Structures are given as C-alpha cells and as structure tokens.
Amino acid sequence: MPRGADGSSNWDADLLLAHKVIGPALLEHTDTLPLWRFHRRSAADAAGHQFSFIFFSDTATADAIFRWLESEPLIGALQQRGLLINVLRQHNAVDAADDLAGTSDPNWTPMLQRQWPSFIMGVSATWLGLIEEALPAAAEEHETIDDLLGRYSHANRAIGNLWANEGQHAFLHHLSAVFGYKPMKIRKAIQF
C-alpha cells in the first residue's frame, strides 16, 4: 500500500480490507482455517505499508481464498484509486503441526514461537469484531469507494480511541493477570 509524501499511511484501508474482503472469506472457510491472523506494518523502508492476512490451511482452502481475493471487486477499486499497489500471494506448503512457529519472531524462544499463532488469532478476531461494532451503517445501498473509506475512517478513529482510553485495562492489565502479574522487562523503547 502506498505511503503519503509525508510518510503517513492510510490505516483506514486496512480496516476495509479486513472487514469487507477477508471477513467474508473467514466466514466461508471457518472449518478449514485452524489458525489465521492479520499483520499491519508501515515503516520507512522498501516494504513500506503492508496489510497481511496470514493463515494455515490445506491447499484447497488456500487456493479458494486466493481465488476469492483475485475476484473481489474492492481490490480492483482500491488499486484504481491508488490506495493498493499490489496483492502479493505466497503459499508455503508446510505441515502446520510441524511449523506453527514459522510466522513468529525467530528471536523468541521456541515455546513462545509455537504458541504465538493462537494468541494473535484471538487478537485479530477481537480487532475484526471491533471493526464490525464501530462501523456506522451505510447511508445507501450502493456506496462509492469514498463512502466506504469514510465509514472505515470513522471505525478506525473509534477503535483508536478505545485503544487509547481502555486498552491499558482491557488488554494490558488482563494480559498481565493471565501471566500472574509478573514484572516485564522493557528492553528498549519501540516506535511504531
């Protein structure tokens, strides 16, 4: 996805892709997607702004999801507007049971690498549910891409406010509780 001349990213488009494009595919393939997640990043590097949908499945499900993405009209509309540069498709034929750690940070312990996919799938499902809840109703049946982006911009702001105002207690405090309130080392400041 492109970054603005000032280096900014249009995070609203990520919500649109997650909810309107990936969401229906998730519903269609619930039984054959044991693990899935979203990944969002935007850095001042060659990769830039990327929105990723990462999943473990059998080959037939992966092929069906890739066909879904290729036929989704919103993908083309976003590309025409210059809001989406490219859709990259990568299929790695691995046994999910043997390579659950494959999409985790290689610097983590193997135990954490293996469990990360389950944790982040729950986080991704929560985020997708928040998009659904925060999204204002459509004003008309046939929305333009600008109408859609306006609604997802509203949802993005609402979710950002929720994170800023309630994230410490709802997410960080309760995550800390699960781990028995043990101290956490903050090794370095990270700017996103």
Side-chain angles (χ1 to χ4, degrees):
M1 302 175 97
R3 292 176 54 145
D6 63 353
S8 64
S9 292
N10 182 350
W11 296 107
D12 305 338
D14 292 2
L15 278 74
L16 173 64
L17 288 169
H19 184 251
K20 283 290 253 194
V21 176
I22 303 301
L26 286 170
L27 289 174
E28 178 75 22
H29 300 285
T30 298
D31 295 339
T32 54
L33 284 174
L35 290 168
W36 60 271
R37 70 179 174 106
F38 297 121
H39 182 78
R40 302 167 76 192
R41 57 116 45 218
S42 183
D45 59 17
H49 179 182
Q50 293 182 350
F51 171 78
S52 301
F53 173 55
I54 301 166
F55 60 93
F56 287 104
S57 73
D58 57 61
T59 302
T61 301
D63 289 343
I65 289 172
F66 292 144
R67 281 192 306 277
W68 174 277
L69 292 174
E70 290 165 0
S71 67
E72 175 52 54
L74 275 174
I75 298 284
L78 288 169
Q79 286 176 316
Q80 282 185 320
R81 290 287 306 278
L83 297 171
L84 178 62
I85 297 168
N86 200 1
V87 176
L88 303 174
R89 167 184 161 160
Q90 182 178 343
H91 179 233
N92 297 330
V94 296
D95 181 358
D98 292 337
D99 195 30
L100 284 180
T103 62
S104 301
D105 190 316
N107 296 312
W108 296 342
T109 63
M111 180 171 58
L112 180 56
Q113 289 178 27
R114 285 188 299 274
Q115 299 310 313
W116 174 255
S118 297
F119 170 79
I120 200 63
M121 183 172 122
V123 171
S124 295
T126 299
W127 182 66
L128 189 57
L130 290 171
I131 295 169
E132 178 73 28
E133 296 251 354
L135 194 65
E140 56 186 67
E141 186 177 326
H142 300 287
E143 291 181 288
T144 66
I145 194 75
D146 288 330
D147 295 334
L148 276 170
L149 285 170
R151 290 193 317 117
Y152 284 94
S153 178
H154 172 87
N156 195 28
R157 284 190 308 275
I159 294 167
N161 287 335
L162 182 143
W163 174 257
N165 295 312
E166 299 181 66
Q168 180 184 7
H169 183 233
F171 295 107
L172 300 181
H173 165 77
H174 289 282
L175 184 59
S176 181
V178 167
F179 288 95
Y181 300 108
K182 300 289 188 236
M184 178 191 308
K185 293 179 184 174
I186 305 297
R187 298 182 189 277
K188 63 180 179 177
I190 299 174
Q191 180 69 37
F192 298 101

